[in-house]
Amino acid sequence: MRAPALCVANRKRERRRSLHRSARHRFIAAAIGFASLCASGCGRGGADVPTDAVEVRVRAQDTAWSAYYVLRSDAGVREVSTGREVHLPRGAEVDLILESRDYICLFAMPEQHLRDFAAPGVGGKFHFRAEQAGGYEFRGDELCGLPHTEKTRGRFVIEEPARFQDWVHQREKASR
Amino acid sequence: MKLNTRMIVGLVVVLALVAGALFVLGRGAPVAPSPNPAASAPAPAAKLLLPVLATLPEFMLENERGQPEGLDDLRGKIWIADFIFTRCAGTCPLITSRMAALGKELSKSPATSAIQLVSISVDPEFDTAPVLAKYASMNGADARQWSFLTGTRSSVRDLVTQGFKLPVGDGTDPSTPVFHSQDFVLVDRLGRVRGVYDALAEEGRASLAGDLARLFAEPQPQDLFVPADLEHPAWLPGRQAAQLAQASAITAPHDFKFTDEIGTSGIEFHHTSSVDVGKYYRAIHYDHGTAIAVADVDGDGLPDLFFVNQIGKSALYKNLGHGKFQDITESSGLAIGDRTCVGASFADIDNDGDPDLFVTCVRDGNLLFENDGHGHFKNITQQAGVEGTHGHSSGAVFFDFDGDGLLDLFVTNVGQYTTEKKREGSPYEGVLDAFAGHLHPERSERSILYKNLGGNKFQDVTESSGLKHTAWSGEAVAFDYDGDGKTDLYVLSMQGHDELWRNLGGGKFELTGRKVFPATPWGAMGAKVFDWNGDGKLDLFVTDMHTDMSGELQPGDEKKKHDPATMFPQRFLMTDGNHVLGNALFTNEGGGKFVEQSDAANVENGWPWGPSAADLNADGWPDLFIASGMNYPFRYLGNSVMLNEGGKRFADAEYIVGVEPRARLATPWIELDCDGADAQHDLCRGEPGPVMIGDPERPHTPRHGHVTAWASRASRSSAIFDVDGDGDLDIVTNNYNDAPQLFISDLAQRHVVHSLSITLTGTRSNRDGLGAIVTVQAGKHTQVQLNDGKSGYLAQSTLPLYFGLGDAASADLVKVRWPTGKEQIVRGPFKPGAPLHITEK
């Protein structure tokens, strides 16, 4: 198991806010838990869908989470919607960015003890390595005690890079 | 009574028509609310077969069982009303016998058995609940079907004449003291009058039968309970039983009961919420509710009530004695209805011996009213210079920070949680991420400290005092935490750390940071300073609402501190993360040091707003009432009563003393015309919206027709005082989007109550004596109270200090430490019951 590579910017921000020590440990521990989803090794995919590094935006709007791959190439940046099922190539370095366009939305992976939030103008960011193949549930956790709907629930699927590329292509085709 | 042939025929006809209508519509059992309205078939376009003759106003009366019963309790039911009085020798017996016969016939069919019968007494002074209970029994009334309502003379007459549009008045001779209608009135599920029928005429009763069938044939409104088990939550009976089973183990006296007598009190106030919290639900600070404040505004020796409303008029009720009140809002000059208000603080700002009133509001400026001593108030806001910054003001605290004998004022401003948009009939719309406001420094609003200059003028000294408080704060309490003779200020934060501002003297304050209270609740809402453990030092109790919002508060979790694993993410807290994860009870160890003992004292509860502390059982130990709970779309929770077990801990007792559960847990919250203007509303579209309704895996089915979404009832603020003057303490609440509760205690009827009521008059100190510390010694037991006027959430009241004396026959000594620092000792013995007035010497 590898320690998570929390993004540098995030670390600086956390330091500035003088996190309480134990709480900070919890935060890091949560991210470690998430990283432990992964095993080792990763493949490299096709030219337009890299599999060694993946950027995913998980966006909250109208009390729902929906996810998008951010694909960067010489032609520019494009987003590919993947709904609430986020496939990831095994072995990839993953940037997971939380954002919200309206309400405050909590993002949680209870089994991984991971919990963060997004609000308009206040996003969140995780970095981890997708190592162990399998499915991992995420959900919008309860802010203000509200029982959230299925629209805030989804899952990550860590799979072989080739299958991941197929998935992205399917999603791209479906969204055209 | 025997049914005559035509009546039997009429009822047979109605049952046949109803059955026929049900068959035609294929609706099953329309009388019972549909458990899964989402799955119901689209209704035909709303076509009314009967005219709407009138729409009943909100009312609250009391049934023969002594429970409040009003329009909200009858909503969702078809009901038939009549008007009678028990000592009526004329038509009433006949009307009642006709009603009894009608009830028997209706109960024969499942389709009509849920139709409610309601007999309203037009002689309410004589027809008390016990009198009506006897009358009901004599007439064989089944309480499940037939209720008998009483109230005050004015509330009943207003309802009959203005609601039902029927006559009622004083009779002309002693044998008929009241004249009234002899009609049956048919009311539909939405509280609309659909027919009026002569109860004594066969034609009238036949007409009623026919109209009932037509009413059933109309598209029926749907009732949607959110959450689905709202009316009968599975956890509640077990909770109630468990607490009752523990009663014998409680060492504090608990053999007394509260009864909600709002229905016969004459209080007709009904709180109305912003649509942001109602129809277009979003999480926003509007749902923090509004205040109830108490003071004797007209100098008659009886404390009067001021209810703050969110939408519509606030209301002032004159105390008539014996638990009866009269609305004097208009004549008092306090008919505030042009703005959205929050808090209310009574205090004598000009030391002229009467309580003046400060009211906080959202966006439209705060208000200060001077009392002329007779309960007439004059708006002096502009002249006094306390309008504020047109921000989002909340609780306000009068205290004398500079010791000049004039009450100064601290006004909390929460932060910018609204936009510039307005919906019709509602205040400014909230921002979507209101509870992330603390993450945006640009949304913060500075709270304001005003110095009282005398002559009804105030000066904003926020800047010069150093008390520059910008946290998201809605409440504050003033007390001398370190015993240095200067009153300090503890300011709560509902999204961050609370802050203690130390009074340095010379008009200056300094922030103590985390030195005194390293860990505070993150979501603090209300507070009370009181000596809970009887050691003579003033402790601080703080309720924490918002921490309970970090995760779904499951039944059974209310008494636990929040699980750190599901606390808000650190980035959201924006603090050092060192928090009490729930209510905090800071026990004063002296020398400005406190230790947090909430768990040991058992004062955790769920969704708390503000606490009121007072000696409910008069045993010499202060108890707690915590107004608690949420509304749409949350589950029911209820208020908390905690009895003080000799300063060792508190025992939960809300079910034991009759405060919980409410007779009906739900209230109508959202009215929707799903085939019309509201077709795009989430609930009409069948979307779960912000809440989970039904099975998430099933496709959403649009709803049609009229939909009423029901929500949990919940209180926000409370005040404790002797409402009916019988020597024990009663409780009045202000409930969100609902009628208030008026809990009258029967302690004095069950026991000889020994208590001492003390009123202070300052001479060199402020005339209210705010800031004085009063010690009462009775035998070996010594009690200490701070006279801070803090009666409950968002409010400050002018009330006598109430000291229960337990078994002591008298109090031996009273010591007052005035705000000037001077101690005054008054020696007894003081006999219980007689009010004690102490003037500063």
Side-chain angles (χ1 to χ4, degrees):
Chain A
M1 180 167 60
R2 289 175 52 168
L6 277 174
C7 70
V8 174
N10 206 17
R11 278 182 173 168
K12 283 181 179 172
R13 189 163 63 242
E14 298 302 330
R15 280 197 199 101
R16 278 202 301 274
R17 287 170 188 162
S18 303
L19 292 182
H20 182 262
R21 194 168 182 78
S22 64
R24 184 175 173 183
H25 284 170
R26 281 202 302 274
F27 182 77
I28 293 172
I32 290 172
F34 193 24
S36 71
L37 308 178
C38 317
S40 60
C42 61
R44 178 168 292 275
D48 62 339
V49 184
T51 57
D52 55 348
V54 178
E55 181 179 347
V56 180
R57 289 185 183 273
V58 184
R59 185 174 296 151
Q61 186 167 16
D62 194 19
T63 67
W65 284 114
S66 46
Y68 303 83
Y69 297 112
V70 180
L71 301 179
R72 301 176 190 278
S73 67
D74 294 341
V77 180
R78 68 185 196 277
E79 282 191 347
V80 175
S81 169
T82 185
R84 287 185 288 280
E85 183 165 321
V86 184
H87 288 225
L88 297 171
R90 194 159 68 89
E93 300 291 331
V94 180
D95 275 330
L96 185 65
I97 297 159
L98 306 179
E99 59 186 35
S100 172
R101 292 190 169 175
D102 44 32
Y103 302 99
I104 311 164
C105 207
L106 290 180
F107 175 90
M109 299 186 70
E111 290 181 11
Q112 283 69 42
H113 307 291
L114 193 151
R115 195 167 155 84
D116 203 357
F117 80 103
V122 187
K125 187 172 183 178
F126 295 105
H127 181 93
F128 59 90
R129 187 175 167 88
E131 293 186 348
Q132 187 170 322
Y136 305 92
E137 303 296 320
F138 73 82
R139 64 184 169 101
D141 212 343
E142 299 82 3
L143 176 73
C144 288
L146 281 177
H148 278 237
T149 72
E150 74 276 21
K151 294 192 297 184
T152 64
R153 293 175 187 163
R155 65 177 191 147
F156 291 94
V157 177
I158 297 177
E159 60 191 4
E160 293 307 314
R163 297 190 65 176
F164 162 73
Q165 286 190 316
D166 288 346
W167 170 262
V168 176
H169 287 311
Q170 283 174 23
R171 298 302 302 171
E172 196 164 26
K173 199 180 293 180
S175 62
R176 279 183 193 137
Chain B
M1 171 210 151
K2 287 186 178 178
L3 292 176
N4 61 39
T5 307
R6 292 194 62 175
M7 189 167 183
I8 290 172
V9 169
L11 286 166
V12 168
V13 168
V14 71
L15 295 175
L17 286 171
V18 166
L22 299 182
F23 177 77
V24 170
L25 292 174
R27 284 178 169 275
V31 173
S34 167
N36 186 4
S40 64
K47 184 180 178 186
L48 300 185
L49 303 177
L50 291 176
V52 175
L53 304 178
T55 298
L56 294 180
E58 294 283 356
F59 66 86
M60 185 57 79
L61 299 173
E62 182 173 292
N63 65 27
E64 80 285 358
R65 285 159 283 160
Q67 297 168 330
E69 187 167 321
L71 184 63
D72 286 351
D73 301 289
L74 292 163
R75 284 289 309 275
K77 300 172 186 171
I78 292 171
W79 50 290
I80 298 165
D82 68 9
F83 309 92
I84 50 98
F85 60 107
T86 61
R87 55 179 173 164
C88 166
T91 56
C92 303
L94 208 50
I95 296 171
T96 299
S97 67
R98 296 279 192 266
M99 188 69 112
L102 178 61
K104 280 182 185 168
E105 288 305 312
L106 293 174
S107 63
K108 287 178 181 172
S109 164
T112 55
S113 61
I115 293 174
Q116 188 80 15
L117 307 181
V118 180
S119 292
I120 299 172
S121 170
V122 290
D123 183 18
E125 293 99 328
F126 183 85
D127 287 340
T128 59
V131 171
L132 287 177
K134 190 175 175 186
Y135 186 75
S137 174
M138 281 170 49
N139 286 281
D142 179 349
R144 290 168 298 181
Q145 182 192 42
W146 191 357
S147 56
F148 293 76
L149 302 185
T150 184
T152 63
R153 183 188 177 90
S154 64
S155 60
V156 167
R157 292 197 173 185
D158 286 352
L159 175 62
V160 175
T161 58
Q162 296 168 32
F164 289 98
K165 317 287 187 194
L166 292 173
V168 64
D170 294 334
T172 51
D173 66 80
S175 65
T176 53
V178 186
F179 74 81
H180 60 93
S181 163
Q182 61 181 33
D183 293 326
F184 284 153
V185 180
L186 177 60
V187 184
D188 70 14
R189 291 175 177 174
L190 299 178
R192 302 177 299 188
V193 174
R194 308 302 298 277
V196 180
Y197 317 90
D198 186 343
L200 303 183
E202 292 180 17
E203 295 78 12
R205 299 194 300 277
S207 182
L208 168 60
D211 282 357
L212 258 179
R214 290 186 192 92
L215 186 56
F216 271 105
E218 292 182 353
Q220 295 299 305
Q222 295 180 43
D223 290 303
L224 179 63
F225 290 92
V226 182
D229 68 342
L230 172 62
E231 286 214 298
H232 304 288
W235 59 269
L236 197 148
R239 176 80 51 84
Q240 182 175 14
Q243 190 177 99
L244 293 175
Q246 288 295 314
S248 59
I250 296 178
T251 59
H254 54 272
D255 55 338
F256 65 106
K257 294 273 187 202
F258 290 98
T259 304
D260 183 0
E261 298 190 4
I262 194 73
T264 53
S265 67
I267 296 170
E268 295 170 348
F269 174 78
H270 193 282
H271 184 275
T272 303
S273 77
S274 156
V275 296
D276 264 8
V277 189
K279 188 170 182 177
Y280 304 104
Y281 176 79
R282 67 181 58 164
I284 189 175
H285 300 74
Y286 282 132
D287 79 358
H288 291 196
T290 58
I292 164 80
V294 188
D296 175 12
V297 299
D298 51 5
D300 65 357
L302 300 173
D304 309 300
L305 301 175
F306 183 67
F307 292 94
V308 180
N309 212 340
Q310 192 160 75
I311 304 293
K313 282 184 184 173
S314 298
L316 179 67
Y317 281 92
K318 175 180 170 59
N319 189 338
L320 303 175
H322 308 292
K324 307 296 181 190
F325 292 83
Q326 178 188 359
D327 187 343
I328 57 167
T329 311
E330 297 294 337
S331 62
S332 71
L334 291 179
I336 308 163
D338 63 340
R339 62 192 74 196
T340 299
C341 295
V342 182
S345 296
F346 280 113
D348 187 355
I349 62 164
D350 47 5
N351 288 337
D352 66 351
D354 56 49
D356 308 296
L357 177 64
F358 184 74
V359 180
T360 63
C361 304
V362 177
R363 300 289 297 271
D364 293 322
N366 301 322
L367 297 162
L368 180 61
F369 297 92
E370 184 192 9
N371 189 347
D372 70 354
H374 303 289
H376 303 120
F377 289 83
K378 179 184 172 189
N379 187 338
I380 60 166
T381 309
Q382 295 299 326
Q383 141 192 7
V386 291
E387 189 176 27
T389 51
H390 287 227
H392 301 72
S393 297
S394 183
V397 183
F398 284 102
F399 71 119
D400 181 7
F401 76 79
D402 52 4
D404 63 356
L406 295 168
L407 287 174
D408 310 299
L409 174 63
F410 181 72
V411 182
T412 59
N413 283 326
V414 176
Q416 188 185 328
Y417 58 78
T418 61
T419 66
E420 296 304 312
K421 291 186 205 163
K422 269 191 167 186
R423 293 186 212 266
E424 188 178 349
S426 200
Y428 292 95
E429 280 185 41
V431 297
L432 297 178
D433 60 339
F435 290 107
H438 60 288
L439 304 177
H440 300 274
E442 73 279 8
R443 295 190 201 168
S444 67
E445 290 177 351
R446 185 185 284 188
S447 296
I448 305 173
L449 180 66
Y450 293 104
K451 174 179 167 56
N452 189 335
L453 303 175
N456 289 345
K457 292 189 185 304
F458 290 76
Q459 179 185 4
D460 182 342
V461 294
T462 312
E463 189 73 31
S464 62
S465 69
L467 207 164
K468 292 179 275 191
H469 185 89
T470 55
W472 282 61
S473 297
E475 264 285 28
V477 286
F479 74 117
D480 179 8
Y481 86 92
D482 54 359
D484 68 354
K486 296 183 284 292
T487 305
D488 311 293
L489 201 61
Y490 185 96
V491 189
L492 286 69
S493 170
M494 61 182 77
Q495 290 159 232
H497 263 304
D498 299 345
E499 297 292 0
L500 176 65
W501 290 88
R502 183 166 177 252
N503 190 339
L504 302 175
K508 301 286 185 188
F509 287 82
E510 76 169 3
L511 191 62
T512 60
R514 308 264 59 83
K515 288 181 209 162
V516 182
F517 298 103
T520 68
W522 184 86
M525 206 54 64
K528 177 63 185 173
V529 175
F530 71 120
D531 177 17
W532 80 273
N533 59 358
D535 66 357
K537 296 187 281 290
L538 292 171
D539 312 304
L540 172 63
F541 179 52
V542 181
T543 56
D544 183 350
M545 177 60 168
H546 281 166
T547 291
D548 283 343
M549 289 297 169
S550 179
E552 195 172 352
L553 189 67
Q554 298 287 353
D557 288 346
E558 299 91 342
K559 294 298 296 181
K560 301 174 189 166
K561 284 286 186 291
H562 201 83
D563 180 355
T566 60
M567 184 55 177
F568 290 119
Q570 187 68 42
R571 288 191 312 117
F572 190 74
L573 297 179
M574 285 283 281
T575 65
D576 61 4
N578 185 20
H579 294 288
V580 180
L581 299 182
N583 298 343
L585 182 60
F586 297 111
T587 300
N588 192 336
E589 294 192 312
K593 292 184 178 171
F594 293 79
V595 58
E596 205 286 303
Q597 294 187 311
S598 57
D599 286 336
N602 189 41
V603 291
E604 186 57 46
N605 79 329
W607 293 334
W609 298 101
S612 296
D615 191 356
L616 297 173
N617 49 15
D619 67 344
W621 296 92
D623 311 298
L624 286 168
F625 177 90
I626 309 177
S628 308
M630 286 292 288
N631 309 98
Y632 182 87
F634 296 82
R635 70 181 173 93
Y636 183 81
L637 196 146
N639 294 315
S640 293
V641 174
M642 299 173 178
L643 298 179
N644 190 330
E645 296 187 298
K648 295 181 175 61
R649 68 188 296 279
F650 290 82
D652 300 307
E654 56 274 1
Y655 295 98
I656 294 167
V657 300
V659 162
E660 291 293 335
R662 287 167 165 89
R664 191 167 194 183
L665 310 183
T667 187
W669 201 260
I670 306 174
E671 303 291 349
L672 297 168
D673 174 9
C674 285
D675 293 326
D678 302 315
Q680 294 307 308
H681 191 282
D682 282 350
L683 295 178
C684 292
R685 294 196 339 243
E687 286 284 327
V691 294
M692 176 96 73
I693 298 167
D695 182 352
E697 300 305 319
R698 293 179 61 170
H700 306 315
T701 306
R703 297 181 175 87
H704 293 274
H706 188 105
V707 172
T708 301
W710 292 66
S712 300
R713 287 184 144 142
S715 302
R716 291 296 185 275
S717 53
S718 59
I720 299 178
F721 67 104
D722 185 0
V723 172
D724 53 356
D726 65 352
D728 58 32
L729 289 176
D730 311 296
I731 305 167
V732 57
T733 68
N734 195 351
N735 299 341
Y736 197 75
N737 206 27
D738 199 359
Q741 290 161 292
L742 183 66
F743 289 112
I744 300 297
S745 169
D746 68 358
L747 182 74
Q749 284 67 49
R750 294 190 188 209
H751 306 276
V752 175
V753 173
H754 294 164
S755 67
L756 198 58
S757 173
I758 299 177
T759 307
L760 302 180
T761 301
T763 53
R764 284 183 292 280
S765 304
N766 66 84
R767 182 152 175 161
D768 283 343
L770 289 184
I773 297 171
V774 179
T775 304
V776 169
Q777 189 178 320
K780 292 180 180 175
H781 187 45
T782 300
Q783 301 176 59
V784 171
Q785 287 190 34
L786 171 67
N787 180 39
D788 65 351
K790 198 69 193 155
S791 51
Y793 182 48
L794 302 170
Q796 200 168 17
S797 297
T798 303
L799 281 168
L801 296 173
Y802 180 96
F803 289 85
L805 301 179
D807 294 331
S810 64
D812 308 313
L813 176 147
V814 176
K815 182 171 75 178
V816 182
R817 181 184 167 193
W818 293 94
T820 58
K822 187 177 177 184
E823 283 194 351
Q824 183 174 345
I825 295 175
V826 187
R827 298 189 185 281
F830 304 105
K831 290 192 173 176
L836 177 60
H837 298 273
I838 300 177
T839 302
E840 183 178 15
K841 289 183 179 171

